[in-house]
Structure formats: structure tokens, C-alpha cells
Amino acid sequence: MVRMVERDKNHPSIIIWSMGNEAGAGPNFEACYAAAKAIDPTRPIHYERQNEIADIESVMYPSVEWLEEQGRKKSAKPFFMCEYAHAMGNAVGNLQEYWDVIEKYPRLIGGCVWDWVDQGLAKPIPGQPDKFFFAYGGDFGDFPTDYNFCINGLTTPDRRVTAKLMEVKKVYQYIDIKWVDGSNDKVQIKNKFQFHNLSEFDASWSLSEDGAIIQSGVLAPVDLEPGQSTAIDIPYAQLRVTPGAVYFLRLEFALRADELWAKRGHIIAWEQMSLPFAATAAPMATASSPLLVDESGDDVQISGKGFDLAFDKKQGTITRLVYDNQEVIASDAFVSRIRRGRRRPEMVAHGNGPLPNFFRAPVDNDLQF
């Protein structure tokens, strides 16, 4: 503990000392606390396994509801999640719900995502020495093993961006953007930075109809000090609303100049908001020729110009579809017969027809080791 504090005490990026991770409790940690404070009394000390001697109270992986209870408590100690949002797999859980609570209560000071990077090792693909894959537990003939438990980061082993990282970036962004209540052209902006005025960034907007951008523009610099809020107008032109269309406004803030960590134009915050236009419903499609509908038991036959269609009402499926005398969909068994007064066969379906086959990607909890 002494070596760590002496080594790192002059690094301004360090704001909290920790006495370790998951290592129990006892008088040795009390001695570590006293030794660290003797060298550096300016920084708080954290230790999740012995909160009573630490300057910060903390836990790992609490529920959102339990975290909110901690936020309501009156305490001289701030509250911290030293681990939460386990990044294993393809998501980081209910991250937004955590931060809705964190930003609601001053006592809650955030948490640490576990983990930053997938800890895989590049291993040549057999027979293809110029290509490799990222190997993990079990890929080296090792057993027993935790298999992919170290593949739990926000980036891949070679630091490529993942969808998980993009979600964390969105939830963590330092600019809050939302509609002013009751408006569809005025947006409320809150600066959540500690040291940056929003006038340092470029702001732009775009308006989309069914996913296609139809208007866009650049906003004047938003002069807004840290912790302050303001409302701005979005100057989009009046629309002729297309029946059945969906409209969204997107607002972005981007770097105006190159930084050590990103280039000019890098998006630092954005929001996409639905425009509450009272669009009429799209007109219903009409048949170009008369339709003949016949129901018999659970079977429904619909015939028109160039097609014949059959449904099974009990199964809720199409049991047969014929276009221009070409059979497109057929059930396992059909009985065709000529009805009196009709020139073409009546389709009588006996079978299920196409059925939906839903599948989700397996997750670790599905595996049996």
C-alpha cells in the first residue's frame, strides 16, 4: 500500500485510493488505511470489503432498487459501485436505469464497468498461419478452466469498438438533450461537464422522414456553462406531413478541433427525438380486381386475378399460395375438388403451412459445462 501511494501520488488522474479487491477484512487493512493517509491525506480511500474503515461506502452489482435506497440514505459517506454492468456477452445490462438513479441522488457517485477489454490472446488458426483468432480458456488444452469468463470487456482484445462501448458512451454523455415540454421545435440542453462550456463544440441537427434525412442544419455555438441549462430553437422548415410517415429530430455535438484522443468532428453527445406530428394513417390498400372469399370450417380461400390463397384459421397460417399458376407455398397435404359453378379447383388445405421458427442466440446461462 505504501509503495503504491508513493509511486502514484503525483498523478492527477488518480482521485481515489483502493486497498484491494475481494480480500476480506481485518486489522491489516486498518493499518493500510493509516499508512496511506499518513502519506497522502488529500484523497479518499475505498475498500468494498470493509466499508466501516473506508471514506466511501461501496458494493458490487446491486440492483437498481437497492441502489436507490442507498441514494435516499443520509450519510456523510458517498456511495460507489466498485463493480457493476458486467460487460460479458453482447450487452451491459440495464445501464440507463442505473444512471437515472445515480443522477437523481447526490450521494451516489457512479460505478466501474467490469471490464474494459476482452482478455483474449491471438492464436494462429490451424493450417492458416497468417490468420489468427482470439483464444481464451480451454483453447490451450487447459482444464479446469473458466472458458470465456475473461472475454468480458467493452472492446475486443485488439481494442476495436463494440456495440456495448457505444451504449456506454451514449449513457455516459455529458450533454442532456430533450424536448421542452409541449414543444416540437424547442429543445432543452443541459451541460453536465465540470469544466467545459458547450460553445467549445459544434452543434448540428437533422430531420428524418422514415429514416431518410429531409432537412439539416448547423446551430450557432451554444454558450452554456457547466451545470447550466437552456432552451434552443431548431429552425426546420414547415413540413407537409406524409400520411403514415414517422419523423425524428437528431441533435449532435461534435469536437471543433483535433484532440489527442479523437479527431475534429468526433461526436461527443447526441439525441434522437420523435416529432409528435399528427399524421393521418396511410391509406389502406385496395384490390385492383374483385376478390372471391370462401370459408369452410377452419379454411379460408381467397381468389383474385392471377392468384389463389388459403388460410387455416385455427393455425393462423397460410396453407397455400399460387401466383400465375405457380405454386409458391404448399402444405404437406391438399385435396383439390371442382365446386359446382367454378372453373378452377377449390383449394382445401389440410396441414399447418409455414410456421414461425423463433430463435435467439444462446447465452452463457444456456451452456452446461
Side-chain angles (χ1 to χ4, degrees):
M1 188 74 187
V2 169
R3 285 198 296 268
M4 178 184 71
V5 176
E6 292 286 11
R7 181 192 67 190
D8 296 336
K9 64 185 179 183
N10 292 324
H11 290 286
S13 61
I14 294 177
I15 58 174
I16 298 170
W17 298 120
S18 174
M19 294 194 293
N21 182 60
E22 299 179 343
N28 286 333
F29 291 98
E30 297 177 28
C32 284
Y33 179 93
K37 284 292 186 180
I39 302 169
D40 174 24
T42 66
R43 292 179 174 94
I45 294 178
H46 151 268
Y47 185 54
E48 179 259 345
R49 290 302 167 103
Q50 203 167 355
N51 279 318
E52 60 272 20
I53 67 169
D55 302 315
I56 297 171
E57 290 190 358
S58 62
V59 298
M60 297 181 178
Y61 306 104
S63 69
V64 173
E65 294 76 17
W66 193 89
L67 180 65
E68 185 157 22
E69 292 178 8
Q70 296 302 310
R72 294 194 189 102
K73 283 186 178 179
K74 302 297 182 183
S75 174
K77 292 183 179 182
F79 191 87
F80 183 63
M81 294 180 291
C82 58
E83 284 186 35
Y84 87 122
H86 191 217
M88 192 172 184
N90 63 355
V92 283
N94 48 349
L95 196 68
Q96 184 63 61
E97 288 77 7
Y98 274 115
W99 279 89
D100 288 342
V101 172
I102 291 168
E103 294 186 337
K104 186 177 177 181
Y105 299 98
R107 186 183 178 226
L108 305 180
I109 62 172
C112 295
V113 175
W114 188 268
D115 201 348
W116 168 243
V117 59
D118 286 344
Q119 297 166 65
L121 300 175
K123 186 177 181 181
I125 297 176
Q128 303 181 59
D130 57 331
K131 296 183 179 180
F132 65 89
F133 68 100
F134 289 119
Y136 48 81
D139 288 328
F140 303 92
D142 49 317
F143 188 83
T145 178
D146 281 336
Y147 296 95
N148 62 333
F149 194 74
C150 285
I151 306 296
N152 58 2
L154 295 176
T155 78
T156 58
D158 53 351
R159 274 58 172 179
R160 284 179 288 123
V161 172
T162 67
K164 294 179 287 186
L165 182 60
M166 297 304 292
E167 181 183 3
V168 173
K169 176 188 175 183
K170 180 67 178 71
V171 174
Y172 280 16
Q173 70 182 27
Y174 287 106
I175 304 174
D176 187 55
I177 307 166
K178 62 183 179 182
W179 287 120
V180 172
D181 289 344
S183 174
N184 60 9
D185 61 1
K186 192 179 288 291
V187 174
Q188 180 175 304
I189 307 292
K190 181 177 180 181
N191 183 358
K192 294 159 63 175
F193 281 102
Q194 297 293 316
F195 306 106
H196 294 281
N197 188 303
L198 295 192
S199 62
E200 300 173 29
F201 308 108
D202 289 332
S204 61
W205 62 273
S206 62
L207 192 150
S208 65
E209 178 187 83
D210 287 344
I213 294 177
I214 57 175
Q215 294 185 37
S216 61
V218 175
L219 296 171
V222 180
D223 184 8
L224 193 62
E225 293 291 340
Q228 300 300 307
S229 298
T230 191
I232 61 174
D233 294 312
I234 308 300
Y236 63 83
Q238 187 173 359
L239 294 173
R240 290 187 62 182
V241 177
T242 302
V246 178
Y247 296 87
F248 284 96
L249 176 71
R250 181 182 174 99
L251 192 60
E252 296 179 346
F253 286 83
L255 293 181
R256 183 171 298 146
D258 290 350
E259 300 285 352
L260 292 175
W261 49 275
K263 298 294 184 181
R264 177 184 178 183
H266 177 78
I267 304 299
I268 62 163
W270 64 273
E271 194 62 69
Q272 179 176 275
M273 299 166 288
S274 173
L275 280 161
F277 293 142
T280 58
M284 296 290 290
T286 57
S288 59
S289 61
L291 298 179
L292 178 63
V293 180
D294 185 26
E295 294 191 42
S296 177
D298 293 327
D299 301 320
V300 179
Q301 285 89 41
I302 303 171
S303 301
K305 185 178 180 180
F307 79 93
D308 291 291
L309 178 65
F311 285 95
D312 185 315
K313 292 193 294 184
K314 182 178 293 185
Q315 299 292 335
T317 58
I318 296 175
T319 49
R320 185 172 180 180
L321 175 61
V322 176
Y323 269 123
D324 292 331
N325 296 318
Q326 296 293 319
E327 195 168 55
V328 180
I329 296 175
S331 291
D332 295 335
F334 273 88
V335 176
S336 296
R337 64 174 182 261
I338 300 296
R339 288 191 64 187
R340 187 179 301 174
R342 294 187 61 186
R343 294 187 177 180
R344 57 172 167 253
E346 176 192 7
M347 298 180 297
V348 181
H350 295 279
N352 291 330
L355 294 173
N357 183 9
F358 296 108
F359 175 81
R360 64 164 173 78
V363 298
D364 288 324
N365 288 344
D366 296 317
L367 303 179
Q368 300 293 323
F369 293 120

